[in-house]
Amino acid sequence: MNETMNLIGKTTINPLLFYSGKISGYVTWIAFIAPLTGISVPGLNSAQSNLQTYVSLALAIPAFILITVSLMNLGKSTRLGLPKNKTELKTHGVYKLSRNPMYLGFNLLTISSMVFTLNLSIIVLGVYSIWVYHLIIIGEEKFLQNRFGNSFINYKKRSRRYL
């Protein structure tokens, strides 16, 4: 039987909030990554101080590592929203250190973007995105507790939500 990976699942919060929060985060990332690759972003100051750049990179490097390792640990369980099919509770690898290492990576990358640009619009979008991701996590944790019961409760005792 050929099993395909279903990338889109059910949202844990209102879909408008869910997708607008994700898109807000993506916009902040573009505002950070584009100038680093030489692409000009209209409305953003392209003259960051060395300190801004170094602090942003100091946050972005672990962010990319967390996101990459999280994706590798999740494997076929990776999706946007809740899974519709049977999954397994991931508690190994980086998930021993944090219940939400991918979201932690997303948030670090968003903060990195905010520091890099020091642009009010990017900061507002970033704060909104981080808040929405927190709401998503709360919803996912309720889902995981319903699906995995005591296994998830015990995992919560051993591992922190973020760090």
Side-chain angles (χ1 to χ4, degrees), residues 5-12 15 18-23 26 29 71 74-84 102-103 106 133 136 140:
M5 190 168 141
N6 187 355
L7 290 175
I8 306 294
K10 183 178 184 275
T11 61
T12 60
F18 181 88
Y19 290 109
S20 66
K22 289 195 175 277
I23 290 168
Y26 302 155
W29 303 348
L71 284 168
L74 279 179
K76 288 186 177 184
S77 295
T78 304
R79 66 191 30 79
L80 192 64
L82 298 175
K84 296 175 184 171
M102 189 178 312
Y103 289 126
F106 292 163
Y133 275 123
I136 292 169
E140 286 183 1

Side-chain angles (χ1 to χ4, degrees), residues 47 61 69 83 150:
I61 291 168
V69 172
N150 285 333

Side-chain angles (χ1 to χ4, degrees), residues 25-53:
Y26 302 155
V27 168
T28 68
W29 303 348
I30 291 167
F32 171 60
I33 295 169
L36 291 178
T37 60
I39 299 170
S40 176
V41 179
L44 290 182
N45 179 8
S46 60
Q48 286 75 27
S49 72
N50 285 339
L51 180 60
Q52 275 176 269
T53 302

Side-chain angles (χ1 to χ4, degrees), residues 33-161:
I33 295 169
L36 291 178
T37 60
I39 299 170
S40 176
V41 179
L44 290 182
N45 179 8
S46 60
Q48 286 75 27
S49 72
N50 285 339
L51 180 60
Q52 275 176 269
T53 302
Y54 294 140
V55 170
S56 296
L57 290 173
L59 294 168
I61 291 168
F64 284 120
I65 292 169
L66 279 169
I67 293 166
T68 302
V69 172
S70 297
L71 284 168
M72 290 170 31
N73 284 176
L74 279 179
K76 288 186 177 184
S77 295
T78 304
R79 66 191 30 79
L80 192 64
L82 298 175
K84 296 175 184 171
N85 53 352
K86 184 180 175 195
T87 57
E88 122 187 17
L89 181 62
K90 303 291 183 171
T91 62
H92 62 283
V94 72
Y95 286 88
K96 281 185 180 182
L97 306 173
S98 169
R99 294 195 305 268
N100 299 284
M102 189 178 312
Y103 289 126
L104 179 59
F106 292 163
N107 289 345
L108 282 174
L109 188 55
T110 300
I111 293 167
S112 174
S113 302
M114 292 164 33
V115 169
F116 184 75
T117 64
L118 290 181
N119 177 285
L120 183 60
S121 298
I122 297 300
I123 292 169
V124 169
L125 288 172
V127 169
Y128 176 71
S129 177
I130 290 169
W131 174 70
V132 169
Y133 275 123
H134 181 72
L135 296 177
I136 292 169
I137 288 169
I138 300 298
E140 286 183 1
E141 289 187 345
K142 288 176 186 172
F143 167 82
L144 292 169
Q145 188 160 332
N146 287 335
R147 179 168 276 193
F148 297 108
N150 285 333
S151 294
F152 183 72
I153 291 168
N154 291 332
Y155 173 54
K156 280 175 52 172
K157 290 177 186 175
R158 296 188 315 266
S159 178
R160 297 173 67 98
R161 179 175 284 150

